Amino acid sequence: MKQPEWIDIIKQGDCIQLMSEMPEECVDLVITDPPFAIDFKATRHNYRGGDDFQKVYTFLETLYISSRLVLPLKGTILIGY
């Protein structure tokens, strides 16, 4: 059930932290543009490995788990790269 303080607003901040403060199933859409790998220059040799890849994977895993708590069953996650 949506809480009145979470209706028709846009929140800006760390999405993982904000979602931990929200009640279950209170949003229909999660939009995030993760700040990782800003200086990452993809090449054929480093595109799928290394520390940057592990950081991305860990973040996306945490994002998915957190999003499932605040989204209803038909909710949407939009991740910008």
Side-chain angles (χ1 to χ4, degrees), residues 6 14-24 26 62-63 65-67 69-70:
W6 294 99
D14 181 294
C15 65
I16 305 300
Q17 178 192 357
L18 289 172
M19 286 189 284
S20 72
E21 300 168 6
M22 296 176 173
E24 291 184 10
C26 70
T62 305
L63 173 68
I65 292 167
S66 300
S67 296
L69 297 174
V70 299

Side-chain angles (χ1 to χ4, degrees), residues 27-65:
V27 299
D28 296 317
L29 174 65
V30 173
I31 301 173
T32 183
D33 185 11
F36 51 75
I38 292 171
D39 295 326
F40 181 66
K41 304 281 190 256
T43 68
R44 184 199 299 177
H45 302 290
N46 69 0
Y47 189 69
R48 293 192 173 265
D51 292 336
D52 286 328
F53 179 77
Q54 185 58 46
K55 290 175 188 175
V56 171
Y57 181 83
T58 301
F59 174 82
L60 291 176
E61 181 179 45
T62 305
L63 173 68
Y64 175 76
I65 292 167

